Amino acid sequence: MIWTDIIELLFPRYCIICNERLNKQESHICINCLRKLPYTNSHLTKENTIEKLFWYHLPIQRAASYLFYSSTGLREVIHSFKYYDNPYVGAYLARLMALEYNDVGFFKDIDIIVPVPLHWQRRLHRGYNQAYYIAKSISNVTGTPVITNAIKRIKNNTSQTRIEHQQRQSNVSSIFKVIHPEVLRGKHILLVDDVITTGSTLISLGKTIAELNDVRISIVSLCYAGNFFCNFVSENEDW
Ligand SMILES: [Zn+2]
């Protein structure tokens, strides 16, 4: 106990959003900032906006995103998670999401977790796949295995953030290839990504998987960056 106090004193940690000093119980984000995050509560809403993005495209069972990609602080957190070698803050938020979602049975019947694959060139450049860290956090809570070798990203498409909405659909067609269909067949697969905007990347991945038949698909992401005027149960006024 004393030893941890000394470490805290020598190496103080700060909240990634407000820069206030963290106490011993806090990790990455202080309790005040955590409280103010723009939670979507989409996991509590059947036929929510995230789910509807995938209707008509995929055999979708459930879909939800944990947070609205709306507040400046959160955007910085996700940016740091994606581009600045800080996978642990995303993994931490994903753990909080997994605990909440697990409580209401969101992960019921899920057989395997598949993070959206990065193209090998981008993975090499970034050093890690941020979706993998989210998947791993969910797996740590549910005990469901994470599968990373069944599907390959065969096209290194231009960053989605720089492409107009209408161009996105064509940009993501056939960018994935199933390498080990036997791992996926007959399974309820949870696809995991960091941010959903139009859902086009996940639709492309889901379609590639759905060609196998005999699969069920659910989707979860840490953030939702699409239309904020949607049918979520929201108790948070900050967004
Ligand atoms: Zn803070």
Side-chain angles (χ1 to χ4, degrees):
M1 205 59 165
I2 294 167
W3 187 235
T4 34
D5 286 345
I6 294 169
I7 288 175
E8 281 294 320
L9 205 68
L10 292 176
F11 305 103
R13 300 166 305 127
Y14 298 92
C15 171
I16 194 168
I17 295 179
C18 71
N19 279 322
E20 286 290 316
R21 199 163 162 175
L22 294 174
N23 68 34
K24 267 190 291 184
Q25 285 76 35
E26 294 167 331
S27 306
H28 307 286
I29 303 173
C30 75
I31 192 82
N32 274 335
C33 289
L34 270 183
R35 252 192 234 122
K36 287 186 208 154
L37 284 180
Y39 300 96
T40 71
N41 291 314
S42 54
H43 64 302
L44 303 176
T45 313
K46 269 199 182 324
E47 303 189 349
N48 65 52
T49 299
I50 307 295
E51 231 179 277
K52 285 180 184 167
L53 286 176
F54 303 103
W55 283 3
Y56 314 114
H57 298 289
L58 304 174
I60 192 91
Q61 308 293 311
R62 294 187 283 278
S65 292
Y66 191 42
L67 298 156
F68 286 112
Y69 192 58
S70 55
S71 66
T72 320
L74 179 63
R75 272 198 214 121
E76 277 169 26
V77 169
I78 299 300
H79 204 73
S80 141
F81 173 43
K82 276 178 92 140
Y83 302 109
Y84 293 105
D85 205 19
N86 188 6
Y88 303 106
V89 64
Y92 175 65
L93 281 173
R95 178 173 175 79
L96 299 181
M97 169 179 76
L99 290 167
E100 260 186 64
Y101 284 23
N102 200 40
D103 272 354
V104 297
F106 185 87
F107 303 118
K108 195 171 165 269
D109 304 330
I110 303 277
D111 298 305
I112 54 173
I113 305 173
V114 174
V116 173
L118 275 186
H119 190 269
W120 69 267
Q121 283 173 342
R122 188 169 295 191
R123 200 184 169 285
L124 198 67
H125 179 71
R126 198 175 286 174
Y128 60 94
N129 177 1
Q130 72 280 5
Y132 172 78
Y133 279 82
I134 301 172
K136 197 72 193 126
S137 287
I138 298 170
S139 172
N140 288 341
V141 169
T142 61
T144 315
V146 177
I147 304 292
T148 54
N149 63 351
I151 303 151
K152 204 171 165 183
R153 192 167 189 141
I154 49 174
K155 265 195 223 167
N156 191 7
N157 56 329
T158 324
S159 176
Q160 291 285 297
T161 46
R162 291 190 216 116
I163 304 168
E164 291 302 318
H165 276 219
Q166 55 267 38
Q167 291 178 313
R168 287 188 180 191
Q169 207 65 51
S170 60
N171 192 51
V172 291
S173 58
S174 316
I175 60 176
F176 300 98
K177 189 170 189 263
V178 174
I179 307 294
H180 290 292
E182 72 281 2
V183 180
L184 306 172
R185 275 200 192 101
K187 300 281 178 17
H188 183 176
I189 304 159
L190 179 69
L191 301 181
V192 174
D193 208 356
D194 53 350
V195 181
I196 291 177
T197 305
T198 61
S200 50
T201 305
L202 281 159
I203 289 170
S204 175
L205 175 60
K207 277 184 173 171
T208 305
I209 293 172
E211 281 171 13
L212 298 172
N213 298 318
D214 193 24
V215 289
R216 287 175 298 151
I217 295 172
S218 285
I219 286 172
V220 81
S221 77
L222 207 49
C223 291
Y224 173 60
N227 178 13
F228 292 174
F229 299 99
C230 41
N231 68 336
F232 297 138
V233 180
S234 184
E235 294 154 358
N236 197 312
E237 292 166 11
D238 285 347
W239 58 275

Coordinates of all heavy atoms in Angstrom, one line a residue, residues 29 34 37-43 50 63-70 74 77-82 86-101 106-107 116 130-135 137-138 190-197 202 219-225 232:
I29 N -8.7 8.1 -17.4 CA -9.7 9.2 -17.4 C -10.3 9.3 -16.0 O -10.7 8.3 -15.4 CB -10.9 8.9 -18.4 CG1 -10.3 8.6 -19.8 CG2 -11.9 10.0 -18.4 CD1 -11.3 8.2 -20.8
L34 N -15.3 10.8 -16.9 CA -16.1 9.6 -17.3 C -17.6 9.8 -17.2 O -18.3 9.4 -18.1 CB -15.7 8.4 -16.4 CG -14.5 7.5 -16.7 CD1 -14.4 6.4 -15.7 CD2 -14.7 7.0 -18.1
L37 N -19.0 11.8 -20.2 CA -18.9 11.2 -21.6 C -20.3 11.1 -22.2 O -21.2 10.7 -21.5 CB -18.1 9.9 -21.5 CG -16.6 10.0 -21.4 CD1 -16.0 8.6 -21.4 CD2 -15.9 10.8 -22.4
P38 N -20.4 11.3 -23.5 CA -21.7 11.2 -24.2 C -22.1 9.7 -24.5 O -21.9 9.3 -25.6 CB -21.5 12.0 -25.4 CG -20.0 11.9 -25.7 CD -19.3 11.7 -24.4
Y39 N -22.6 9.0 -23.5 CA -23.0 7.6 -23.7 C -24.3 7.6 -24.6 O -25.2 8.4 -24.4 CB -23.3 7.0 -22.4 CG -22.1 7.0 -21.5 CD1 -21.9 8.0 -20.5 CD2 -21.1 6.0 -21.6 CE1 -20.8 8.0 -19.7 CE2 -20.0 6.0 -20.8 CZ -19.8 7.0 -19.8 OH -18.7 7.0 -19.1
T40 N -24.3 6.6 -25.5 CA -25.5 6.5 -26.4 C -26.6 5.7 -25.7 O -27.8 5.9 -26.0 CB -25.2 5.8 -27.7 OG1 -24.9 4.4 -27.4 CG2 -24.0 6.4 -28.4
N41 N -26.2 4.8 -24.8 CA -27.2 3.8 -24.3 C -27.9 3.0 -25.3 O -29.0 2.5 -25.1 CB -28.2 4.5 -23.4 CG -27.6 5.0 -22.1 OD1 -26.8 4.3 -21.4 ND2 -27.8 6.3 -21.8
S42 N -27.3 2.9 -26.5 CA -27.9 2.1 -27.6 C -28.1 0.7 -27.3 O -29.0 0.0 -27.9 CB -27.1 2.3 -28.9 OG -25.8 1.9 -28.7
H43 N -27.3 0.1 -26.4 CA -27.5 -1.3 -26.0 C -28.8 -1.6 -25.3 O -29.2 -2.7 -25.1 CB -26.3 -1.8 -25.2 CG -26.2 -1.1 -23.8 ND1 -26.0 0.3 -23.7 CD2 -26.2 -1.6 -22.6 CE1 -26.0 0.6 -22.4 NE2 -26.0 -0.6 -21.7
I50 N -28.0 2.3 -34.8 CA -26.8 1.5 -35.2 C -27.3 0.3 -36.0 O -26.8 0.0 -37.1 CB -25.9 1.1 -34.0 CG1 -25.5 2.3 -33.2 CG2 -24.7 0.4 -34.5 CD1 -24.7 3.3 -33.8
A63 N -26.8 -4.6 -32.6 CA -25.7 -3.7 -32.8 C -25.8 -2.5 -31.8 O -26.9 -2.1 -31.4 CB -25.8 -3.2 -34.2
A64 N -24.7 -2.0 -31.4 CA -24.6 -0.9 -30.5 C -23.3 -0.2 -30.5 O -22.3 -0.8 -30.9 CB -24.9 -1.4 -29.1
S65 N -23.3 1.1 -30.2 CA -22.1 1.8 -30.0 C -22.1 2.5 -28.6 O -23.1 2.9 -28.2 CB -22.0 3.0 -31.1 OG -21.8 2.4 -32.3
Y66 N -21.0 2.5 -28.0 CA -20.9 2.9 -26.6 C -21.1 4.4 -26.4 O -21.8 4.9 -25.6 CB -19.6 2.5 -26.0 CG -19.5 2.6 -24.5 CD1 -20.5 2.2 -23.6 CD2 -18.3 3.0 -23.9 CE1 -20.3 2.3 -22.3 CE2 -18.1 3.1 -22.5 CZ -19.1 2.7 -21.7 OH -19.0 2.8 -20.4
L67 N -20.4 5.2 -27.3 CA -20.3 6.7 -27.1 C -20.6 7.4 -28.4 O -20.2 6.9 -29.4 CB -18.9 7.0 -26.6 CG -18.5 6.5 -25.2 CD1 -17.0 6.4 -25.1 CD2 -19.1 7.3 -24.1
F68 N -21.2 8.6 -28.2 CA -21.2 9.5 -29.4 C -19.8 10.1 -29.6 O -19.2 10.6 -28.6 CB -22.2 10.6 -29.1 CG -23.7 10.2 -29.2 CD1 -24.5 10.2 -28.1 CD2 -24.2 9.8 -30.4 CE1 -25.8 9.8 -28.1 CE2 -25.5 9.4 -30.5 CZ -26.3 9.4 -29.4
Y69 N -19.4 10.2 -30.8 CA -18.1 10.8 -31.1 C -18.3 12.3 -31.2 O -18.1 12.9 -32.3 CB -17.6 10.2 -32.4 CG -16.2 10.4 -32.8 CD1 -15.2 10.0 -32.0 CD2 -15.9 11.0 -34.0 CE1 -13.9 10.2 -32.3 CE2 -14.6 11.2 -34.4 CZ -13.6 10.8 -33.5 OH -12.3 11.0 -33.9
S70 N -18.7 12.9 -30.1 CA -19.1 14.3 -30.3 C -18.3 15.3 -29.4 O -18.0 16.3 -29.9 CB -20.6 14.4 -29.8 OG -20.8 13.9 -28.5
L74 N -13.4 13.6 -25.9 CA -13.5 12.2 -26.4 C -12.8 12.0 -27.7 O -12.1 11.1 -28.0 CB -15.0 11.8 -26.5 CG -15.2 10.3 -27.0 CD1 -14.5 9.3 -26.0 CD2 -16.6 10.0 -27.1
V77 N -9.3 11.6 -27.2 CA -9.0 10.3 -26.6 C -8.9 9.3 -27.8 O -8.0 8.5 -27.9 CB -10.1 9.9 -25.6 CG1 -9.9 8.4 -25.2 CG2 -10.0 10.8 -24.4
I78 N -9.9 9.3 -28.6 CA -10.0 8.3 -29.7 C -8.9 8.5 -30.7 O -8.3 7.6 -31.2 CB -11.4 8.4 -30.4 CG1 -12.5 8.0 -29.4 CG2 -11.4 7.4 -31.6 CD1 -12.4 6.7 -28.7
H79 N -8.5 9.8 -30.9 CA -7.4 10.1 -31.9 C -6.1 9.5 -31.3 O -5.3 8.9 -32.0 CB -7.3 11.6 -32.0 CG -6.7 12.0 -33.3 ND1 -7.3 11.8 -34.5 CD2 -5.4 12.4 -33.6 CE1 -6.5 12.2 -35.5 NE2 -5.4 12.6 -35.0
S80 N -5.9 9.7 -30.0 CA -4.7 9.2 -29.4 C -4.7 7.7 -29.4 O -3.7 7.0 -29.6 CB -4.7 9.8 -27.9 OG -4.2 8.8 -27.0
F81 N -5.9 7.1 -29.2 CA -6.1 5.6 -29.3 C -5.7 5.1 -30.7 O -5.0 4.1 -30.8 CB -7.5 5.3 -28.9 CG -7.9 3.9 -29.1 CD1 -7.1 2.8 -28.6 CD2 -9.1 3.5 -29.6 CE1 -7.5 1.5 -28.8 CE2 -9.5 2.2 -29.7 CZ -8.7 1.2 -29.3
K82 N -6.1 5.8 -31.7 CA -5.9 5.3 -33.1 C -4.5 5.6 -33.6 O -3.9 4.8 -34.3 CB -6.9 6.0 -34.0 CG -8.2 5.3 -34.0 CD -9.2 6.1 -34.9 CE -9.2 5.5 -36.3 NZ -10.5 5.5 -36.9
N86 N -1.3 4.8 -28.2 CA -1.9 4.7 -26.9 C -3.1 3.8 -26.9 O -4.2 4.2 -26.7 CB -2.3 6.1 -26.4 CG -2.7 6.1 -24.9 OD1 -2.6 5.0 -24.2 ND2 -3.2 7.2 -24.4
P87 N -2.9 2.5 -27.1 CA -4.0 1.6 -27.2 C -4.7 1.3 -25.9 O -5.8 0.9 -25.9 CB -3.4 0.3 -27.8 CG -1.9 0.3 -27.3 CD -1.6 1.8 -27.4
Y88 N -4.0 1.7 -24.8 CA -4.6 1.3 -23.5 C -5.8 2.1 -23.1 O -6.7 1.6 -22.4 CB -3.5 1.3 -22.4 CG -2.3 0.4 -22.8 CD1 -1.1 0.9 -23.3 CD2 -2.5 -1.0 -22.9 CE1 -0.1 0.1 -23.7 CE2 -1.5 -1.8 -23.3 CZ -0.3 -1.3 -23.7 OH 0.7 -2.1 -24.2
V89 N -5.9 3.3 -23.5 CA -7.0 4.1 -23.1 C -8.3 3.6 -23.8 O -9.4 3.5 -23.2 CB -6.8 5.6 -23.4 CG1 -6.6 5.9 -24.9 CG2 -8.0 6.4 -22.8
G90 N -8.1 3.2 -25.1 CA -9.3 2.6 -25.8 C -9.7 1.2 -25.2 O -10.8 0.9 -25.0
A91 N -8.6 0.5 -24.8 CA -8.9 -0.8 -24.2 C -9.6 -0.6 -22.9 O -10.5 -1.4 -22.5 CB -7.6 -1.6 -23.9
Y92 N -9.3 0.4 -22.1 CA -9.9 0.7 -20.9 C -11.4 1.1 -21.1 O -12.3 0.6 -20.4 CB -9.2 1.9 -20.2 CG -9.8 2.4 -18.9 CD1 -9.9 1.5 -17.8 CD2 -10.4 3.6 -18.8 CE1 -10.5 1.9 -16.6 CE2 -11.0 4.1 -17.6 CZ -11.1 3.2 -16.6 OH -11.7 3.7 -15.4
L93 N -11.7 2.0 -22.0 CA -13.1 2.4 -22.3 C -13.9 1.1 -22.8 O -15.0 0.9 -22.4 CB -13.1 3.4 -23.4 CG -12.8 4.9 -22.9 CD1 -12.8 5.8 -24.1 CD2 -13.9 5.4 -22.0
A94 N -13.2 0.3 -23.6 CA -13.9 -0.9 -24.1 C -14.2 -1.9 -22.9 O -15.2 -2.5 -23.0 CB -13.0 -1.6 -25.1
R95 N -13.4 -1.9 -21.9 CA -13.7 -2.7 -20.8 C -14.9 -2.2 -20.0 O -15.8 -3.0 -19.6 CB -12.4 -2.8 -19.8 CG -12.7 -3.6 -18.6 CD -11.5 -3.8 -17.7 NE -11.9 -4.5 -16.5 CZ -12.1 -5.8 -16.4 NH1 -11.9 -6.5 -17.5 NH2 -12.5 -6.3 -15.3
L96 N -15.0 -0.9 -19.9 CA -16.2 -0.3 -19.2 C -17.4 -0.7 -20.0 O -18.5 -1.0 -19.5 CB -16.0 1.2 -19.1 CG -14.8 1.7 -18.2 CD1 -14.8 3.2 -18.2 CD2 -14.9 1.1 -16.8
M97 N -17.3 -0.5 -21.3 CA -18.4 -0.9 -22.2 C -18.8 -2.4 -22.1 O -20.0 -2.7 -21.9 CB -18.0 -0.6 -23.7 CG -19.0 -1.2 -24.7 SD -18.6 -0.8 -26.4 CE -17.3 -2.0 -26.7
A98 N -17.8 -3.2 -22.1 CA -18.0 -4.7 -22.0 C -18.8 -5.0 -20.7 O -19.7 -5.9 -20.7 CB -16.7 -5.4 -22.2
L99 N -18.3 -4.4 -19.6 CA -19.0 -4.7 -18.3 C -20.4 -4.3 -18.3 O -21.3 -5.1 -17.9 CB -18.2 -4.0 -17.2 CG -16.8 -4.5 -16.9 CD1 -16.1 -3.6 -16.0 CD2 -16.9 -5.9 -16.2
E100 N -20.7 -3.1 -18.9 CA -22.1 -2.7 -18.9 C -23.0 -3.5 -19.9 O -24.1 -3.9 -19.5 CB -22.2 -1.2 -19.5 CG -22.3 -0.2 -18.4 CD -22.5 1.2 -19.0 OE1 -23.5 1.4 -19.7 OE2 -21.6 2.0 -18.8
Y101 N -22.4 -3.8 -21.0 CA -23.2 -4.6 -22.0 C -23.4 -6.0 -21.6 O -24.4 -6.6 -21.8 CB -22.4 -4.6 -23.4 CG -22.6 -3.3 -24.2 CD1 -22.9 -2.1 -23.5 CD2 -22.4 -3.2 -25.5 CE1 -23.0 -0.9 -24.2 CE2 -22.5 -2.1 -26.3 CZ -22.8 -0.9 -25.6 OH -22.9 0.3 -26.3
F106 N -26.0 -8.4 -23.7 CA -25.7 -8.0 -25.1 C -24.9 -9.1 -25.8 O -25.0 -9.3 -27.0 CB -25.1 -6.7 -25.1 CG -24.9 -6.2 -26.5 CD1 -25.9 -5.4 -27.2 CD2 -23.7 -6.4 -27.2 CE1 -25.7 -5.0 -28.5 CE2 -23.5 -6.0 -28.5 CZ -24.5 -5.3 -29.2
F107 N -24.0 -9.8 -25.0 CA -23.1 -10.7 -25.6 C -23.6 -12.1 -25.6 O -22.8 -13.1 -25.9 CB -21.7 -10.6 -24.9 CG -21.1 -9.3 -25.0 CD1 -20.8 -8.6 -23.8 CD2 -20.8 -8.6 -26.2 CE1 -20.3 -7.3 -23.8 CE2 -20.2 -7.4 -26.2 CZ -19.9 -6.7 -25.0
V116 N -12.3 -5.7 -36.8 CA -12.2 -5.3 -38.2 C -10.7 -5.4 -38.5 O -9.9 -4.6 -37.9 CB -12.8 -4.0 -38.5 CG1 -12.5 -3.5 -39.9 CG2 -14.3 -4.0 -38.3
Q130 N -6.2 -1.1 -33.6 CA -7.0 -0.5 -32.4 C -8.3 -1.4 -32.1 O -8.7 -1.5 -31.0 CB -7.3 0.9 -32.6 CG -8.4 1.3 -33.6 CD -7.8 1.3 -35.0 OE1 -6.7 0.9 -35.2 NE2 -8.7 1.7 -36.0
A131 N -8.9 -1.9 -33.2 CA -10.1 -2.7 -33.0 C -9.8 -4.0 -32.2 O -10.6 -4.5 -31.5 CB -10.7 -3.1 -34.3
Y132 N -8.5 -4.5 -32.3 CA -8.1 -5.7 -31.6 C -8.2 -5.5 -30.1 O -8.6 -6.3 -29.3 CB -6.7 -6.2 -32.0 CG -6.2 -7.3 -31.2 CD1 -6.6 -8.6 -31.4 CD2 -5.3 -7.0 -30.2 CE1 -6.2 -9.6 -30.5 CE2 -4.8 -8.0 -29.3 CZ -5.2 -9.3 -29.5 OH -4.8 -10.3 -28.7
Y133 N -7.7 -4.3 -29.7 CA -7.7 -3.9 -28.3 C -9.1 -3.9 -27.7 O -9.3 -4.3 -26.5 CB -7.0 -2.6 -28.0 CG -5.5 -2.8 -28.0 CD1 -4.7 -2.9 -29.2 CD2 -4.8 -3.0 -26.8 CE1 -3.4 -3.1 -29.2 CE2 -3.4 -3.2 -26.8 CZ -2.7 -3.2 -28.0 OH -1.4 -3.5 -28.0
I134 N -10.0 -3.4 -28.5 CA -11.4 -3.4 -28.0 C -12.0 -4.8 -27.9 O -12.6 -5.2 -26.9 CB -12.3 -2.6 -29.0 CG1 -11.8 -1.1 -29.2 CG2 -13.8 -2.6 -28.6 CD1 -12.5 -0.3 -30.2
A135 N -11.7 -5.6 -28.9 CA -12.1 -7.0 -28.9 C -11.5 -7.8 -27.7 O -12.2 -8.5 -27.1 CB -11.7 -7.7 -30.2
S137 N -10.6 -6.5 -24.9 CA -11.2 -6.1 -23.6 C -12.6 -6.8 -23.4 O -12.9 -7.2 -22.3 CB -11.5 -4.6 -23.6 OG -10.3 -3.9 -23.5
I138 N -13.3 -6.9 -24.5 CA -14.6 -7.6 -24.4 C -14.4 -9.1 -24.1 O -15.0 -9.7 -23.2 CB -15.4 -7.5 -25.8 CG1 -15.7 -6.1 -26.1 CG2 -16.7 -8.4 -25.7 CD1 -16.2 -5.8 -27.5
L190 N -19.3 -11.6 -33.4 CA -19.4 -10.2 -33.0 C -18.3 -9.5 -33.7 O -17.1 -9.7 -33.5 CB -19.2 -10.1 -31.5 CG -19.2 -8.6 -31.0 CD1 -20.6 -8.1 -31.1 CD2 -18.8 -8.6 -29.5
L191 N -18.7 -8.6 -34.6 CA -17.7 -7.7 -35.3 C -17.4 -6.5 -34.5 O -18.4 -5.9 -34.0 CB -18.2 -7.3 -36.7 CG -18.5 -8.5 -37.7 CD1 -19.0 -7.9 -39.0 CD2 -17.3 -9.4 -37.9
V192 N -16.2 -6.1 -34.4 CA -15.8 -5.0 -33.5 C -15.0 -3.9 -34.2 O -14.0 -4.3 -34.9 CB -14.9 -5.6 -32.3 CG1 -14.4 -4.5 -31.4 CG2 -15.8 -6.5 -31.5
D193 N -15.4 -2.7 -34.1 CA -14.6 -1.6 -34.6 C -14.5 -0.5 -33.6 O -15.2 -0.5 -32.6 CB -15.3 -1.1 -35.9 CG -14.3 -0.5 -36.9 OD1 -13.1 -0.4 -36.5 OD2 -14.7 -0.1 -38.0
D194 N -13.7 0.5 -33.9 CA -13.5 1.6 -33.0 C -14.6 2.7 -33.2 O -15.3 3.1 -32.3 CB -12.1 2.2 -33.0 CG -11.7 2.6 -34.4 OD1 -12.4 2.3 -35.4 OD2 -10.6 3.3 -34.6
V195 N -14.7 3.2 -34.5 CA -15.7 4.2 -34.7 C -16.6 3.8 -35.9 O -16.1 3.4 -37.0 CB -15.0 5.6 -35.1 CG1 -16.1 6.6 -35.4 CG2 -14.1 6.0 -34.0
I196 N -17.9 3.9 -35.8 CA -18.8 3.7 -36.9 C -19.3 5.1 -37.4 O -19.7 5.9 -36.6 CB -20.1 2.9 -36.4 CG1 -19.7 1.4 -36.1 CG2 -21.2 2.9 -37.5 CD1 -20.8 0.6 -35.6
T197 N -19.2 5.3 -38.7 CA -19.8 6.5 -39.2 C -21.0 6.2 -40.1 O -22.1 6.2 -39.7 CB -18.7 7.3 -40.0 OG1 -17.6 7.6 -39.1 CG2 -19.2 8.7 -40.4
L202 N -18.0 -1.9 -42.1 CA -18.5 -3.1 -41.4 C -19.5 -3.8 -42.3 O -19.6 -5.1 -42.3 CB -19.2 -2.7 -40.1 CG -18.2 -2.5 -38.9 CD1 -18.9 -1.6 -37.9 CD2 -17.8 -3.9 -38.4
I219 N -22.8 -6.5 -34.0 CA -21.8 -5.5 -34.2 C -21.7 -4.6 -33.0 O -22.7 -4.2 -32.4 CB -22.1 -4.6 -35.5 CG1 -21.8 -5.5 -36.7 CG2 -21.3 -3.3 -35.5 CD1 -22.3 -4.9 -38.0
V220 N -20.5 -4.3 -32.6 CA -20.3 -3.3 -31.5 C -19.1 -2.4 -31.9 O -18.2 -2.8 -32.5 CB -20.1 -4.1 -30.2 CG1 -18.7 -4.5 -30.0 CG2 -20.5 -3.2 -29.0
S221 N -19.3 -1.1 -31.5 CA -18.1 -0.2 -31.7 C -18.1 0.7 -30.4 O -19.0 0.9 -29.7 CB -18.3 0.7 -32.9 OG -19.3 1.7 -32.7
L222 N -16.9 1.3 -30.2 CA -16.7 2.2 -29.1 C -17.4 3.5 -29.3 O -18.0 4.0 -28.4 CB -15.2 2.4 -29.0 CG -14.6 2.8 -27.6 CD1 -15.1 1.8 -26.5 CD2 -13.1 2.7 -27.6
C223 N -17.4 4.0 -30.6 CA -18.0 5.3 -30.9 C -18.9 5.2 -32.1 O -18.7 4.4 -33.0 CB -16.9 6.3 -31.1 SG -16.0 6.7 -29.7
Y224 N -19.9 6.1 -32.1 CA -20.7 6.3 -33.2 C -20.6 7.8 -33.7 O -20.8 8.7 -32.9 CB -22.2 6.0 -32.9 CG -23.2 6.4 -34.0 CD1 -23.1 5.8 -35.2 CD2 -24.2 7.3 -33.8 CE1 -24.0 6.1 -36.2 CE2 -25.1 7.6 -34.8 CZ -25.0 7.0 -36.0 OH -25.8 7.3 -37.0
A225 N -20.2 8.0 -34.9 CA -19.9 9.4 -35.4 C -20.9 9.8 -36.5 O -20.7 10.8 -37.2 CB -18.5 9.4 -36.0
F232 N -32.0 6.7 -29.6 CA -31.4 6.1 -28.5 C -32.1 6.6 -27.2 O -32.6 7.7 -27.2 CB -29.9 6.5 -28.4 CG -29.1 6.0 -29.5 CD1 -28.1 6.8 -30.0 CD2 -29.3 4.7 -30.0 CE1 -27.3 6.3 -31.1 CE2 -28.5 4.2 -31.0 CZ -27.5 5.1 -31.6

